[in-house]
Amino acid sequence: MELEICTNSYNSALAAQQGGADRIELCVGLAEGGLTPSMGLIKQVAQLSGLKKHVLIRPRGGDFCYTPDEVAIMETDIRLLKEEGTDGVVIGALNPDGTVDLPTMRRLITAAEGLSITFHRAFDMCANPEKALEDIIALGCHRILTSGLSPTAEQGIPMLRKLVELSGRRIEIMPGCGVTPQNAARILQETGATNIHASAKHTRDSVMAYRRDTIDMGEKGKNEFAIQETSPRLVAEIRQAIG
């Protein structure tokens, strides 16, 4: 059973390594569903040993319908990260009607030649998951990250099990979203999946002693002094739960 941890910083990637993860998905902007990390972060994380590094390629939040300029940006990001010795990319693109954007996906896959390809949770926004599954398999992707079209992977177990059966092991179905040490083993057992994705995150308080808490730097009302990052303890607990 392979454990992938979603990491949003160097400290989180280090925590995933310490906790026994097999692979990380490196991204930033988790509040927006994940965005492409900086090249500086990619370069630093690429030096960590003992785990595979996959990088999310997503130039903005919002939907998964991209303009030609945004596609060009993603192609450039992929070519740059390949130079840093990363192992894979996490990508996904849709048409306005909820089908997989095949031309865009082909361009991104061509740019990523030689890397492992994960189709991310844009899959959960597809209008017809069975058709999308076949399209993604035909593209040559290696895995799909999905919650089974549900708010959490645990709630999506029936669909995840169906996707595993339909895939016939032609592609890996990787459950993700809301995965914890308490439910990870059940999700794998009841779906037949062999990969699982978790953030294993906790919140730590800022070391700042002086705080001006009347100003919002981002989302209004958000606690600017609460930092979310991966917990090595939670990673280790998930690792132990799934074997």
Side-chain angles (χ1 to χ4, degrees):
M1 299 295 177
E2 288 197 335
L3 173 60
E4 178 178 280
I5 298 296
C6 178
T7 60
N8 64 343
S9 66
Y10 181 78
N11 284 343
S12 289
L14 190 60
Q17 179 199 49
Q18 294 169 343
D22 300 293
R23 181 174 63 239
I24 61 168
E25 177 196 42
L26 183 64
C27 63
V28 295
L30 291 180
E32 295 192 74
L35 301 172
T36 306
S38 72
M39 288 308 302
L41 177 55
I42 293 169
K43 185 184 289 287
Q44 191 78 359
V45 168
Q47 298 176 37
L48 291 175
S49 61
L51 76 171
K52 296 176 182 177
K53 300 98 176 174
H54 291 188
V55 180
L56 177 66
I57 302 299
R58 187 178 179 220
R60 58 161 173 78
D63 63 30
F64 302 101
C65 299
Y66 298 111
T67 67
D69 287 336
E70 289 171 333
V71 176
I73 290 169
M74 289 190 284
E75 288 178 303
T76 299
D77 282 335
I78 291 171
R79 294 190 181 104
L80 288 172
L81 70 85
K82 284 176 70 175
E83 298 174 5
E84 303 304 327
T86 53
D87 302 288
V89 293
V90 184
I91 56 179
L94 302 179
N95 295 309
D97 63 357
T99 57
V100 176
D101 182 347
L102 297 176
T104 292
M105 284 300 299
R106 290 190 185 103
R107 284 179 60 179
L108 299 180
I109 290 169
T110 296
E113 184 179 2
L115 299 180
S116 182
I117 309 291
T118 300
F119 193 99
H120 57 50
R121 288 192 62 214
F123 180 85
D124 291 321
M125 296 296 184
C126 288
N128 184 333
E130 295 182 22
K131 175 66 165 56
L133 173 66
E134 294 302 324
D135 286 341
I136 294 167
I137 290 172
L139 285 167
C141 295
H142 300 95
R143 69 191 57 77
I144 298 173
L145 171 61
T146 171
S147 64
L149 285 68
S150 296
T152 68
E154 189 170 20
Q155 292 171 278
I157 284 175
M159 175 57 77
L160 288 164
R161 181 168 54 244
K162 181 178 181 180
L163 291 169
V164 170
E165 292 170 353
L166 288 172
S167 72
R169 301 301 178 187
R170 293 173 293 163
I171 193 171
E172 294 175 351
I173 303 299
M174 180 167 61
C177 189
V179 173
T180 68
Q182 291 72 38
N183 64 21
R186 174 176 173 245
I187 292 169
L188 288 171
Q189 290 166 1
E190 296 192 16
T191 62
T194 58
N195 283 236
I196 199 160
H197 172 101
S199 62
K201 65 180 180 290
H202 69 155
T203 302
R204 69 171 175 86
D205 193 35
S206 167
V207 298
M208 288 291 296
Y210 175 77
R211 303 186 180 193
R212 190 185 301 278
D213 56 10
T214 58
I215 295 176
D216 297 305
M217 291 294 177
E219 181 182 345
K220 186 173 178 58
K222 182 180 179 182
N223 182 357
E224 305 288 349
F225 303 100
I227 300 169
Q228 287 197 333
E229 59 188 18
T230 301
S231 161
R233 176 184 59 82
L234 288 175
V235 175
E237 288 178 2
I238 298 173
R239 173 81 276 169
Q240 183 176 18
I242 67 175

